[in-house]
Amino acid sequence: GQQLNQSPQSMFIQEGEDVSMNCTSSSIFNTWLWYKQDPGEGPVLLIALYKAGELTSNGRLTAQFGITRKDSFLNISASIPSDVGIYFCAGPAGNTGKLIFGQGTTLQVKP
Amino acid sequence: GAGVSQTPSNKVTEKGKYVELRCDPISGHTALYWYRQSLGQGPEFLIYFQGTGAADDSGLPNDRFFAVRPEGSVSTLKIQRTERGDSAVYLCASSLDRGPSTFGSGTRLTVV
């Protein structure tokens, strides 16, 4: 079935550094979503991408929908301690809106 | 409500017992999803409701798991004869039609 692979699995960076993480798939997706999950909470939508090649920003976050429709990346600029959490990429499986998630990238930020 | 509400937030139960987990979606959201998240993993799809009907239950692991949404709003996930392997965070999400989902905070189920 469809799978999403995220890398890196975890990152430990200094406050103020930029961060890049990506997500790849063996099959095509028509939508890419990036979520962040804090401990004890559900995932929160950060950015939604709907078109191949699309580059979208949300504050310090920038995400791109790969031109092949099989990958996406998320960049965080000038990281701050509250960026700590687990970042998931997700894409719809079929046309029902149900999502397939990657295994997540855990981000830790050292003040 | 303003967000997706899940109760209880934590549930500890003994192996073999029956449990019910409740989800109250965002008002007006017709689509409702249940996911299960094990430690260190992303959420995995269980079941999808469009209105009152279960449109896709392909993610339910076995017949001990069942979910209902009788009035097209609140949903209950029911697990019979719980096993230790059922321990996980159960997440509910809702959306307008098939748009991006908004998630609740989840119910952490521990089977001892």
Side-chain angles (χ1 to χ4, degrees):
Chain A
Q2 292 174 300
Q3 279 190 313
L4 296 179
N5 296 304
Q6 288 188 247
S7 64
Q9 192 171 17
S10 62
M11 304 179 75
F12 190 88
I13 63 169
Q14 196 78 30
E15 182 178 359
E17 290 183 349
D18 296 343
V19 170
S20 184
M21 60 190 79
N22 76 313
C23 185
T24 60
S25 170
S26 58
S27 54
I28 288 172
F29 280 86
N30 293 316
T31 299
W32 286 90
L33 306 172
W34 284 93
Y35 284 86
K36 179 180 181 240
Q37 187 173 29
D38 292 329
E41 300 294 328
V44 174
L45 183 67
L46 299 174
I47 293 181
L49 302 161
Y50 298 104
K51 189 176 174 182
E54 179 182 355
L55 185 72
T56 297
S57 292
N58 177 8
R60 294 179 295 106
L61 277 59
T62 302
Q64 183 155 29
F65 191 143
I67 200 73
T68 65
R69 293 195 282 158
K70 291 184 177 182
D71 64 338
S72 176
F73 72 74
L74 175 70
N75 285 346
I76 305 172
S77 62
S79 58
I80 58 178
S82 63
D83 291 333
V84 165
I86 305 176
Y87 291 80
F88 291 100
C89 62
N95 62 356
T96 62
K98 72 182 183 185
L99 298 175
I100 292 174
F101 283 81
Q103 72 272 45
T105 292
T106 300
L107 178 64
Q108 293 179 290
V109 179
K110 185 177 178 183
Chain B
V4 178
S5 175
Q6 291 189 246
T7 55
S9 55
N10 281 282
K11 176 72 177 177
V12 180
T13 190
E14 291 181 347
K15 178 175 176 292
K17 297 289 189 183
Y18 167 84
V19 295
E20 288 189 350
L21 312 180
R22 177 189 167 105
C23 173
D24 201 339
I26 292 173
S27 178
H29 279 194
T30 55
L32 185 146
Y33 307 83
W34 283 98
Y35 292 82
R36 178 166 72 173
Q37 187 174 24
S38 300
L39 194 63
Q41 301 295 319
E44 293 179 324
F45 170 77
L46 295 176
I47 187 169
Y48 156 60
F49 288 89
Q50 182 60 246
T52 60
D56 183 348
D57 64 357
S58 61
L60 294 178
N62 52 59
D63 62 6
R64 295 186 297 104
F65 289 74
F66 189 72
V68 296
R69 194 186 186 198
E71 297 177 358
S73 178
V74 171
S75 176
T76 305
L77 178 65
K78 308 180 181 196
I79 311 174
Q80 298 177 320
R81 304 183 304 281
T82 51
E83 300 177 357
R84 292 198 178 87
D86 298 336
S87 297
V89 175
Y90 289 82
L91 293 164
C92 177
S94 69
S95 70
L96 277 171
D97 197 7
R98 289 167 290 175
S101 293
T102 301
F103 283 81
S105 298
T107 294
R108 180 176 297 279
L109 177 66
T110 305
V111 182
V112 298

